[in-house]
Amino acid sequence: MPAAPFLRTPTAREQRGDLVLAAVMFVGAILSAALSTVAEIYGDTRAPEWTALVYALAVTAPLGWRRRWPAAVAIAVCAAYFLAITFQVPEIYVGNIAMFVSLYTVGAWMNNRRAAMIVRVAIIVGMFIWLLITMYHTAIDEAEKAEVAAGLLSPYLAFMLIQLLLNVLYFAGAYYFGERSWNAAQERAVLEQRTAELEQQREVTAAQAVALDRVRIARELHDVVAHHVSVMGVQAGAARLVIDQDPAKTTSILTGIEGSARDAIHELRQLLETLRSPGGETTDASSTVSLDDIADLAAASTEAGLPTDYAVIGDPLPVPSLVAVNLYRIAQESLTNARRHAGAGATADVRVRYDEHGVEVEIVNTGRTIAALRPGLGQLGMRERAAASGGTLEVTPRPTGGLRVRARVPLDGSTPRTTHDSLMTESSATR
């Protein structure tokens, strides 16, 4: 798809700035005309003083719309300047500035680049033709007044060459700076467009990463739910075998089946909550890890070059499989990030805390000082896992260097969560 053509459109603030510029230039033109009259520029041949007021208005007022209609403004300003010089209106300095600004604006703001070039070239060529004709007539008049014709290196000829050189620099500067401003604005627009595209791509990538994390979580929830269903199947088979021989044991097994069913429904609800946003495919292996496996993570982290201490604080409580899997993955991601970014000589501590209200996993690492925390895809995944478990996640930089990651999940102690494994063992033994 071809890119849209670059167009410059003045904002309301820029248009107000042009009106202010026109007003300032008008005041400057009035002062310049008054001082030029006192200085007797053009001598006795100058035009009447009132013409300076008309000229000041004619050469500065169009600048108030210079960015909206650059070509028309440039033509109007240059025509006013041409007439003022021709009729010797006593003001030349502000007019020169106004003409430079108008030519610059054509190059900097006119969207039709071919027309912008034609307008500027036409004005510059016309001015030089008029300048050469004026210089020729002045040279003839000076030669007639002199007793001897002016030589090749006469003072007058040198003065005319200086004037010619100044005009070349004057018009070339207006043309060059106008083009440079246009090119800079075009490059700035391209950069802003690319920045917007990159920001959009970053948002898409982040959304895709979140979706993939949702899929990973869903796969692990699938394993947990499948575990509960398999327990229910084993328990149902055991109940069928002992229903006639031991009614009391049958009642106990049926109670276990009821608990497994409640757990499965609970996990399925959290699975649906996790999958409210669409996800994609993943090739990650499923997982049925527990909180005890975090000790293996710490040992593996130490072997990988990041010395990691592991400790369990408090009396271990029954933890749902879903919560265990997600806390394990949060610890795994935190240790991986620490190995990547903490730097040489860093260490880490992993703490699993149990209390009467819930379970908490905290991973603290030393290393480089983090001035500002920049959210990444890994943090998005950890927050998704904490939310899927009904918990919270805190990721904060440490003043002494490194990072602290704390995931906490409240536990409902009313329903025992570890009875299923013992019931399955009991049922297997009965069979």
Side-chain angles (χ1 to χ4, degrees), residues 133-145 150 156 160:
I133 292 174
T134 302
M135 290 172 60
Y136 174 76
H137 285 297
T138 305
I140 294 299
D141 294 339
E142 291 295 326
E144 290 177 352
K145 294 177 183 178
Y156 175 75
M160 288 296 102

Side-chain angles (χ1 to χ4, degrees), residues 200-222:
Q200 184 178 7
Q201 291 177 0
R202 188 191 67 81
E203 293 177 356
V204 171
T205 301
Q208 290 174 344
V210 171
L212 290 175
D213 277 327
R214 289 178 183 272
V215 171
R216 294 188 186 98
I217 297 170
R219 286 174 62 87
E220 292 170 351
L221 292 178
H222 167 269

Side-chain angles (χ1 to χ4, degrees), residues 2-283:
F6 171 66
L7 299 176
R8 291 194 79 176
T9 303
T11 63
R13 181 178 180 181
E14 290 170 336
Q15 292 178 11
R16 289 193 298 269
D18 291 341
L19 293 175
V20 172
L21 173 66
V24 172
M25 294 283 285
F26 176 74
V27 173
I30 295 298
L31 294 176
S32 176
L35 294 175
S36 297
T37 301
V38 173
E40 297 184 354
I41 291 180
Y42 297 126
D44 296 335
T45 61
R46 70 174 181 270
E49 286 77 4
W50 63 268
T51 59
L53 178 62
V54 176
Y55 169 64
L57 183 64
V59 82
T60 59
L63 295 178
W65 295 270
R66 67 185 183 94
R67 290 187 238 218
R68 186 177 298 180
W69 301 299
V73 169
I75 293 172
V77 169
C78 292
Y81 181 82
F82 171 79
L83 292 174
I85 297 298
T86 301
F87 293 102
Q88 297 186 350
V89 175
E91 202 294 306
I92 57 176
Y93 300 107
V94 175
N96 272 291
I97 298 173
M99 188 165 63
F100 185 94
V101 170
S102 65
L103 287 175
Y104 161 83
T105 305
V106 171
W109 284 89
M110 194 167 178
N111 291 319
N112 188 334
R113 303 310 296 167
R114 182 178 179 84
M117 182 191 68
I118 292 174
V119 169
R120 287 177 294 172
V121 169
I123 290 176
I124 292 172
V125 171
M127 284 293 177
F128 269 100
I129 292 175
W130 171 76
L131 179 62
L132 291 175
I133 292 174
T134 302
M135 290 172 60
Y136 174 76
H137 285 297
T138 305
I140 294 299
D141 294 339
E142 291 295 326
E144 290 177 352
K145 294 177 183 178
E147 296 180 358
V148 180
L152 181 62
L153 297 178
S154 65
Y156 175 75
L157 181 58
F159 177 76
M160 288 296 102
L161 290 176
I162 291 175
Q163 294 297 316
L164 187 63
L165 177 61
L166 290 176
N167 277 275
V168 169
L169 295 175
Y170 174 88
F171 288 110
Y175 195 103
Y176 169 77
F177 288 114
E179 285 293 313
R180 186 179 180 87
S181 176
W182 172 270
N183 293 333
Q186 189 175 31
E187 292 173 358
R188 187 164 55 250
V190 171
L191 181 60
E192 290 174 354
Q193 181 180 0
R194 290 179 179 175
T195 301
E197 292 175 354
L198 288 175
E199 181 65 21
Q200 184 178 7
Q201 291 177 0
R202 188 191 67 81
E203 293 177 356
V204 171
T205 301
Q208 290 174 344
V210 171
L212 290 175
D213 277 327
R214 289 178 183 272
V215 171
R216 294 188 186 98
I217 297 170
R219 286 174 62 87
E220 292 170 351
L221 292 178
H222 167 269
D223 295 336
V224 172
V225 173
H227 169 72
H228 290 310
V229 173
S230 65
V231 168
M232 292 167 61
V234 172
Q235 292 170 335
R240 180 176 56 82
L241 292 176
V242 301
I243 188 170
D244 296 328
Q245 304 172 4
D246 192 345
K249 182 169 290 189
T250 301
T251 302
S252 175
I253 295 175
L254 291 176
T255 302
I257 293 176
E258 182 183 1
S260 296
R262 285 198 303 268
D263 286 339
I265 291 173
H266 174 74
E267 306 295 356
L268 281 173
R269 285 177 178 172
Q270 295 209 249
L271 171 62
L272 292 175
E273 183 68 23
T274 302
L275 292 179
R276 285 184 183 224
S277 298
E281 295 298 329
T282 178
T283 58

